[in-house]
Amino acid sequence: GYYVKKKTQYHPYRICLILDKMNVLRDRVYHSFLETIKDQADVDVYFHHHNFKVFEKLIDENLSNYTHFVITTFLHGNSSEVLNRIPAQKRVIIDYQENELEGEYTCIYQDYKTDIQESLTKLLPQLEKYARLVLVAPLEAFHAKEVIDGFEIFSKQNSKKHTIVNAIDETFPQKGDAYITFSRYDQDDVTLIKIARKKGSKLGKDIGLISYNDTAVK
């Protein structure tokens, strides 16, 4: 009638880590987090996959089970209303800034609007040889608005001809264009390279390609 509930040593903290999805970036976040916290806490990881109902259920069913919640959102819906159900001192928001949250809590987030401006400014000498900048912003990207705003500010400040598209097709790439991509699975990078080869365009000379998210594979 007895069983071993837990064989690991006792830790003072129990952490509910809720991520939006698993990709290269999230894998790095997950393993870095575990490496840092391993001697102080037990960590359970969940994924909501941008599904608001799943996200809400994960929080509501676990409110009393954990000492802290570490969460990435990127959701359509009123995330703040659900996040406010978690006591502020137990709430850690990462990667995306959520507005309208109550109390004093921890938030570590990317400033997408400023980041794209600063990154392109550093690359300005390399971008001078291109006549036009093309931002490929997928409709499903949750942070697209902030990136678009920063891209447009940079382009206007530096008098760069620019345009924004949602996907790449056979009409691209055009010589003299520099493309900035941030699709979820990097299809746009692959498509651009294949079409450029087919048309005989040289990458880094005839056309430019900047991938917003960097990985070792790239």
Side-chain angles (χ1 to χ4, degrees):
Y2 294 91
Y3 65 94
V4 177
K5 183 179 179 182
K6 187 194 300 182
K7 63 180 181 180
T8 57
Q9 67 185 62
Y10 171 76
H11 292 132
Y13 303 108
R14 294 201 68 231
I15 298 175
C16 179
L17 177 61
I18 301 178
L19 302 176
D20 52 335
K21 61 192 175 188
M22 180 55 78
N23 56 21
V24 174
L25 177 60
R26 292 292 179 264
D27 184 66
R28 288 177 180 175
V29 171
Y30 172 66
H31 284 98
S32 295
F33 185 80
L34 287 186
E35 182 65 24
T36 303
I37 206 77
K38 63 182 180 181
D39 295 326
Q40 305 173 58
D42 295 323
V43 181
D44 293 329
V45 61
Y46 303 92
F47 299 92
H48 57 69
H49 299 287
H50 308 290
N51 185 314
F52 189 86
K53 290 184 178 179
V54 172
F55 168 74
E56 184 176 30
K57 185 177 180 181
L58 283 172
I59 290 179
D60 285 343
E61 292 185 350
N62 289 293
L63 280 174
S64 60
N65 297 333
Y66 295 94
T67 61
H68 293 82
F69 290 78
V70 180
I71 302 170
T72 59
T73 52
F74 295 100
L75 290 155
H76 292 303
N78 187 7
S79 303
S80 60
E81 191 277 326
V82 177
L83 292 171
N84 281 328
R85 300 174 194 175
I86 305 170
Q89 71 274 14
K90 294 184 176 183
R91 190 195 311 137
V92 180
I93 309 300
I94 58 175
D95 208 25
Y96 191 79
Q97 185 182 26
E98 290 290 341
N99 298 317
E100 302 178 6
L101 294 188
E102 300 168 353
E104 295 185 1
Y105 61 96
T106 300
C107 183
I108 306 169
Y109 65 93
Q110 296 188 58
D111 186 345
Y112 296 99
K113 183 178 177 180
T114 302
D115 287 349
I116 188 71
Q117 294 178 62
E118 292 181 350
S119 297
L120 292 177
T121 299
K122 290 179 181 178
L123 291 173
L124 196 54
Q126 292 97 310
L127 294 174
E128 290 295 342
K129 60 185 172 182
Y130 300 107
R132 183 177 68 158
L133 302 180
V134 181
L135 178 66
V136 187
L139 294 173
E140 72 274 10
F142 288 87
H143 56 304
K145 184 182 184 306
E146 289 91 341
V147 176
I148 290 172
D149 289 345
F151 171 74
E152 290 186 326
I153 290 172
F154 166 83
S155 299
K156 291 174 183 177
Q157 286 179 342
N158 293 279
S159 302
K160 297 291 291 185
K161 186 178 179 182
H162 63 284
T163 188
I164 299 166
V165 299
N166 300 125
I168 292 297
D169 56 38
E170 289 292 333
T171 62
F172 300 99
Q174 298 178 18
K175 288 187 177 181
D177 285 350
Y179 297 84
I180 300 102
T181 66
F182 60 98
S183 62
R184 184 182 302 176
Y185 300 111
D186 304 316
Q187 301 100 317
D188 293 328
D189 293 350
V190 176
T191 301
L192 277 166
I193 292 170
K194 284 185 174 181
I195 298 176
R197 288 177 176 174
K198 185 178 179 181
K199 292 184 175 182
S201 297
K202 186 173 178 59
L203 210 63
K205 181 180 179 182
D206 300 318
I207 65 168
L209 175 57
I210 301 171
S211 182
Y212 188 89
N213 296 310
D214 192 23
T215 65
V217 172
K218 294 177 188 176

